């Protein structure tokens, strides 16, 4: 096996396609060299070395050592210098570089090859003693830190090398490193060597080969250092073999005034504008650009300073973009007027820049529409849809804690602890953040009134999260470190107490909670955004609908491109104003007759709701789910609330309490809800079916087409569906006859949620009664995995950390398990009814990898919250492209 | 299509195999006639007539009328009489008779053919005017009631015919019907006809054919009368076409002293003893034997009264048993010294009789062992295992309410409302019934101390029901009419208040609750019982294990034939005495170190538990499930209990309260339990694995073999299992090394419950880590169907009534849905690991139809509560036979 790949102009053994083996940096260095771009020569130890090293407890593969020797020899020939030569010493860098960029996580050692001997050769060759010893002291410091691991011994101690440096500067009464003289630096080298010897009992190696191997080992070790592991975990980087090791001839930007170094993007990474964008420093090394001690200059001013190098750089910008057909992020160094490229990679960009770059590259004929679609991530689309904090301000803000990024966006407001307080404040025009241990349907008004919602409990699909996403409202959920005391009107977090009325800020995209006000920037929805999504619409095969319960949500979703409503929950409509009174009357009734009276009061209200939604959807299909939640959710659980209801209804408070108690369930998720309500209280389904159909008739009569799809929830057994279907059909036909309309005019259909595992298992039977299936993957995940979404947050974090699930299955569909149920149900359903319409209305309908799955199993559409509709449009197109 | 089947000696068109078509009665009348047994001739309208009648809104099939005419003609020829002939009038009966006996549920009309004209012919022919008019008034009364439906107009009114009869008897100053003279009866006929005319406006028909068709229609209508529907529902009689209609020549047992009528069993139906058993009345009709006005005579005395008829009867007894190869229940009539058989059917028998009859018939060479096994129902086996109420006493007792038959048996005791009270009473030697709204693990001591348990909430698999069945203790669960007031120490039910200390009785086999003491009879476990089960053991292929948590339960189960423990729950062990303190300490600890200390205290206690169980099982395999329930179940939820714990543990009560609150879950069934505990607190699994293995080593060292099977609960993802397996294996190997033993000596295995739907769906992956699967069908049903077993009782009753599920899926495995998961898991599991051991340990493991399913899908064993082991042995044998 070949372990090492050499690179130099016309001699590269690797290329850009070999990222897995050579890492991103190594592969692109080889590619650039092949393109004739000036790159300091070098060689790359492949990731297979790292793999071998890992699997053999830190041993090197046989033959590696001689391969290193051979390549070092080629490098010496290419540069005309020799490693360890006291006259013309070759200096080299050793850098990590995995297939996926992990900036700053792994180790680097520069200036290798410098010793007490060779440093003199550098002095001689450059005539710059200060430069030579500065390079040497940097090597000793870096080597001591990275390879020999001389670290502070306690958290309070400062870095031993920095300590020595500081002491010297004090002694010399200078402020900057650059003010130290050559002899100061010489002294520093000695002091550094001494501290290594004293603290570690080893000498700084004077053998360049020993230095080289020490650095290689350190880089390989750094692959599994804790922060690298954590980084991969956080960024969900899986399946990599290891890091490559790049050994490259040093070039210096700090050898004098004809030297410099810089970084640049081939386009503006913030806006996507097609301009060369970057900065540089003269007489500096790469780290100086980052360190922020000297202010780098805008790249365009380089033209005046070093016109030849600048022109060359512009030429390289063009070459790279043409070659890579994407925006590049490059690093370069100018040594004695000669330009060297040290790195190129695909440039990270903001969402806006991603969209603009992709669209403009299509317009310039560089890439196809399909490529453009694959260039923008669904997460970037999401970013574009929500106001965001000014990144600089956010970095400065005091972070209180982190919770789950439950609903993206940025929100700032005064803390309130109850829905009522939120509503009152909103009426006074105040901006508030609603902070709750968890939310319940009774809090909806307050959630709507608040800028954002913060909860201590609950996961990505908790009530707070689901409702907030539905509202397009920022939400951080399950911030477990929060200890909320409603009585005192304050919460405690990480030692800080925040009282009611104090301002906090939430970043719902990352789950961060900040103290005080963090200023926001407005999102820019440029025309490119629309262009890109229209291309996505041409390509995708999956329909995209929305989950919306109000005309307002429906209209928002249509604006975002929704092609219908996949889930209209009717229960939210039951909470508003005087309706809740009628709902409670119904629940408290003792028999059917007693229930029919309040239901008759609800009928016109529900009808009006549906009319509004039908109008907003303008003929697009609307799937309406009949009442789903357990009835006790509509009753007040606190003494005061119960007294209030008792008074309004003119019954003793005991009666209310008893009914609430009687409706209590140990596991409400698996209790008396969904179609089970419709089976035991058919009059509820009947009222809802009538409201839907009457609304449809009214709207149709006004000249607007209506496609109601009536959905029976929580079916587990075909007979549940057939009973409910019969009732709904009978009611619907009766309404049509009353209104003198036909089914051709109001083409309603009846179908069911597939959300109980048994329904998926018996989907062939269920399809006999269902014209459509809509997968309720939230409940399917709850029951299929046995995870209560309200409780599982407690351990799911640990489950993901331990790799039991790669993601929280409420966020990303568990394809192997729950997906199997979905697939099975699709197959069984189609067997019975080939034309059956299949969709998904669980939260997963807006999650890219889950959308990909939906595409693969052949669903007709996904349905998600309004603000996720554009995300789904893109993800569906990407799925279609990747599936080709 | 042929609708009518004639029967007469040598002329029968039907036979006993045609029950579906001719009903049980009709088929057997035909069969008896073919056997040469004297049967009054007649013909049977097949069940297809009933089906047609149902499907065509009460119309008869074409041609039926002429078929009736033809058969009536044959009947006239066979009897030498003519229907409606004033000289020699043929009288006939019209009786219902479905394929499954529904005694008394449908209608019958006797003496058809009598009119004002023909009654004179009867007088002439019999010379018995009184008999003739008595027969006529019976016809008018029966016809008026059954065919013309002259019923009381209100609930308080008595039957109009009875009213007239009573008035006449008063007028004539007689007490018995038999004291009325011929002219009295003549008068009665007229009065009956008048009341029909007055009340209904129609005449009693004087046309015999009209009478016949009226009676046929009435019988067909009675198939769907409410009590017949209810009866089929209660007895789970499904899929019948309808009733047949038997038209048969009348014979009279009440024509004088050479006449009589009786019923008999070919063996004693109570004990199974091989003696002729029955009773008769001279000069009487069938209904008189049942009515109880005259006391019937034992059958053996008939020998003295009518020796010829008796000998003939004995001969017929022999013929029938030989022919039918089973005990028969017959009805006969003697008319003028001639014996006629009116019915034969398989005799209903007690459990004891069923066993004795089956075993003795094998010993007599009448039937095979296989047949014997199919003759006894699993329900009968169950009856034999529990004390039962004396049926006569039970019929007399005041029933308070009915709940679910949660755990069979009979129990009587004084009402107590708390587990503590039950335990105190038991210490004083008092018998009590524990009455609770629902029970929790904290009540176990009290449940054990009580004679029986009655709960107001919870289903067949509620805590109370499961634990009670495990204990073999009588339990009535979910008696929803009960309103329990703990504070007052009383419960209210159907207007009656029962106070603490008052005696009540429970019949756990039917769910009945009685006021006061109902005397019981002791079950007799004769040697035949053992013989039958030993035959079952020869035949069955399924193993039978038990669910047992204590050495006592284990020993009981072994006595009942258990071949191992399929489920040993370790959590029950956590509740006793001082253990609970250590358990609570563990739960309240803040970190691993804090948990390890109390776990160390628990270790020796758990080890001792396991030693006891291993000893009791004497080398049989023992499957031990690691801790399963959510931790909050171990903490007290009431203020007082929390204060107590706080005191014992020396922490502030707030700390306890906070921890209890923190552990609260919205849906505990889907929460932090099962292996999720072992994943987040590995030290718990570690302690348990160590306790199991140390116990195994200790017992092995004493010369007793041990086969521990360590079972990880609630696995949904193979990675959960591999993490827990690794931990258990490491611990087990460590113990073996410490004890200087090998895995060959303690051949432990590690496997998992399959109880989460996702586990079944990914069983191929899970089998990579599992040496055995045990199906936890309780939880699989909960999650697969989405039914919380604690809450579903509310609507499941209605679901079964509406035919959505044929049975409560917690009682009878839902084969179509949950069964599919089981089957899938078996197939996937075997694909990965062909030798994988498969069992079931849910409650369904003791339910016959579910056992049959387990046999079919190829499980290796079922496991059930100790008292169900014999039931399972029989059911497994029956499954093997029916599967051949």
């Amino acid at each position: 096996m070949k372990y090492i790949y050499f690179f130099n102009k016309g001699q590269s053994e690797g290329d850009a396609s070999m990222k897995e083996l050579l890492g991103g940096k190594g592969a692109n260095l080889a590619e650039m060299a092949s393109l004739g771009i000036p790159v300091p020569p070098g060689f790359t130890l492949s990731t297979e070395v790292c793999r071998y090293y890992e699997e053999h407890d830190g041993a090197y593969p046989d033959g590696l050592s001689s391969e290193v020797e051979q390549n070092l020899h080629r490098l010496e020939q290419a540069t005309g210098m020799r490693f360890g030569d006291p006259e013309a010493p070759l200096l080299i860098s050793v850098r990590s570089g995995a297939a996926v960029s992990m900036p700053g996580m792994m180790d680097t050692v520069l200036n290798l090859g410098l010793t007490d001997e060779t440093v003199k050769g550098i002095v001689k060759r450059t005539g710059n003693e200060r430069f030579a010893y500065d390079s040497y002291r940097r090597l000793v410091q870096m080597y001591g830190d990275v390879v020999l691991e001389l670290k502070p011994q306690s958290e309070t101690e400062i870095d031993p090398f920095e300590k020595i440096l500081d002491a010297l500067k004090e002694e010399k009464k200078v402020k900057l490193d650059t003010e130290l003289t050559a002899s100061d630096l010489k002294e520093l080298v000695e002091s550094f060597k001494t501290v290594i010897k004293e603290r570690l009992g080893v000498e700084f190696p004077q053998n360049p080969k020993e230095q080289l191997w020490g650095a290689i080992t350190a880089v390989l070790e750094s692959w599994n250092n804790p922060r690298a592991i954590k980084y991969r975990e956080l960024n969900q980087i899986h399946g990599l073999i290891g890091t490559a090791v790049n050994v490259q001839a040093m070039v210096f930007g700090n050898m004098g005034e004809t030297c410099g170094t810089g970084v640049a993007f081939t386009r503006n990474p913030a806006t996507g504008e097609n301009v060369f964008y970057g900065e540089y420093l003269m007489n500096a090394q790469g780290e100086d650009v980052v360190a922020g001690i000297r202010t780098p200059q805008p790249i365009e001013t380089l033209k005046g300073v070093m016109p030849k190098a600048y022109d060359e750089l512009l030429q390289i910008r063009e070459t790279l973009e043409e070659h890579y057909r994407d925006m590049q992020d490059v690093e370069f160094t100018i040594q004695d007027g000669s330009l060297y490229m040290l790195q190129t990679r695909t440039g990270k960009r903001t969402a806006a820049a991603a969209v603009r770059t992709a669209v403009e590259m299509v317009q310039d004929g560089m890439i196809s529409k399909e490529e453009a679609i694959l260039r923008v991530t669904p997460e970037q689309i999401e970013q574009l849809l929500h106001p965001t904090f000014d990144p600089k301000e956010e970095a400065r803000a005091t972070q209180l804690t982190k919770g789950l990024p439950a609903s993206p966006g940025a929100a700032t407001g005064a803390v309130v602890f109850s829905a009522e307080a939120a509503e009152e404040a909103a009426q006074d025009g105040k901006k508030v953040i609603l902070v709750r241990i968890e939310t319940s349907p009774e809090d909806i008004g307050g959630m709507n009134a608040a800028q954002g919602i913060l909860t201590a409990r609950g996961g990505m699909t908790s009530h707070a999260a689901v409702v907030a996403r539905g509202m397009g409202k920022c939400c951080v959920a399950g911030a477990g470190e929060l200890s909320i005391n409603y009585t005192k009107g304050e919460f405690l977090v990480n030692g800080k107490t925040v009282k009611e009325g104090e301002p906090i800020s939430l970043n719902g995209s990352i789950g961060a909670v900040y103290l005080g006000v963090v200023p926001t920037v407005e999102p820019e929805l440029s025309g490119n955004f629309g262009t890109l999504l229209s291309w996505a619409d041409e390509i995708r095969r999956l329909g995209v609908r929305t989950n919306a319960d109000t005309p307002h949500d429906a209209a928002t979703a249509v604006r975002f491109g929704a092609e219908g409503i996949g889930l209209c929950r009717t229960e939210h409509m039951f909470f508003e104003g005087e309706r809740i009174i009628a709902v409670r009357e119904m629940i408290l009734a003792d028999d059917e007759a007693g229930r029919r009276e309040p239901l008759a009061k609800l009928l016109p209200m529900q009808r009006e709701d549906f009319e509004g939604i039908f109008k907003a959807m303008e003929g697009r299909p609307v799937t309406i789910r009949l009442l789903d939640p357990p009835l006790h959710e509509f009753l007040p659980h606190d003494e005061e609330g119960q007294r209030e209801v008792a008074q309004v209804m003119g019954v003793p408070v005991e009666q209310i309490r008893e009914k609430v108690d009687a409706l209590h369930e140990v596991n409400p998720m698996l209790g008396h809800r969904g179609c089970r309500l419709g089976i035991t209280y058919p009059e509820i389904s009947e009222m809802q079916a009538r409201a839907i159909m009457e609304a449809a008739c009214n709207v149709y009569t006004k000249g607007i087409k209506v496609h109601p799809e009536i959905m029976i929830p929580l079916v587990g057994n075909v007979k549940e569906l057939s009973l409910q279907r019969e009732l709904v059909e009978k009611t619907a036909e009766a309404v049509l006859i009353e209104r003198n309309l036909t089914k051709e005019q109001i083409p309603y259909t009846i179908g069911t949620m597939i959300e109980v595992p048994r329904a998926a298992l018996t989907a062939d039977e269920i399809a006999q009664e269902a014209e459509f299936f809509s997968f309720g993957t939230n409940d399917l995940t709850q029951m299929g995995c046995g995870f209560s979404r309200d409780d599982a947050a407690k351990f799911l974090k640990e489950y993901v950390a331990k790799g039991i699930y790669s993601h929280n299955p409420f966020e990303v569909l568990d394809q192997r398990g729950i997906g199997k149920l979905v697939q099975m149900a699709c197959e069984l359903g189609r067997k019975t009814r080939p034309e059956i319409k299949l969709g998904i209305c669980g939260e997963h309908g807006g999650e890219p990898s889950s959308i990909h799955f939906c595409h693969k199993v052949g669903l007709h559409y996904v349905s998600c919250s309004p603000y996720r509709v554009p995300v789904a449009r893109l993800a569906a197109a990407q799925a279609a492209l990747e599936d080709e």
Side-chain angles (χ1 to χ4, degrees), chain A residues 27 36 48 121 137-138 158 249-250 266 281 284 309 332 358 448 575 729 874 879:
Chain A
E48 289 293 345
R137 74 96 189 167
R138 284 177 196 248
I158 62 162
M250 286 293 302
T266 57
L281 273 177
F332 63 88
N448 196 35
F575 278 101
E729 229 164 20
L874 182 76

Side-chain angles (χ1 to χ4, degrees), chain A residues 38-102:
Chain A
V39 165
F43 54 89
T44 305
L45 278 65
S46 81
T47 52
E48 289 293 345
V49 175
C50 189
R51 189 215 296 262
Y52 187 98
Y53 185 86
E54 287 301 316
E55 288 173 358
H56 295 79
D57 288 329
Y60 287 115
D62 285 349
L64 183 73
S65 149
S66 63
E67 254 190 274
V68 167
E69 286 299 327
Q70 287 158 26
N71 280 279
L72 197 55
H73 185 64
R74 279 178 86 175
L75 186 54
E76 287 172 340
Q77 286 184 311
T79 55
M81 293 185 281
R82 279 186 45 233
F83 198 49
D85 184 345
E87 300 303 316
L90 170 64
L91 301 191
I92 60 180
S93 62
V94 173
R95 288 185 169 96
S96 62
V100 177
S101 169
M102 296 167 54

Side-chain angles (χ1 to χ4, degrees), chain A residues 179-225:
Chain A
E179 295 173 89
L180 293 171
T181 63
S183 85
D184 292 341
L185 292 165
K186 221 168 182 169
E187 189 185 328
L188 213 49
V189 167
E190 290 312 310
S191 306
F192 282 0
K193 289 197 291 190
T194 308
V195 73
I196 289 172
K197 174 72 186 166
E198 279 174 6
R199 294 274 285 264
L200 302 175
V202 296
E203 300 279 358
F204 170 78
Q206 290 296 326
N207 175 349
K209 293 272 172 70
E210 191 186 336
Q211 290 177 3
L212 173 59
W213 283 104
I216 289 172
T217 305
V219 168
L220 292 175
E221 285 287 337
S222 71
W223 171 248
N224 275 333
N225 73 33

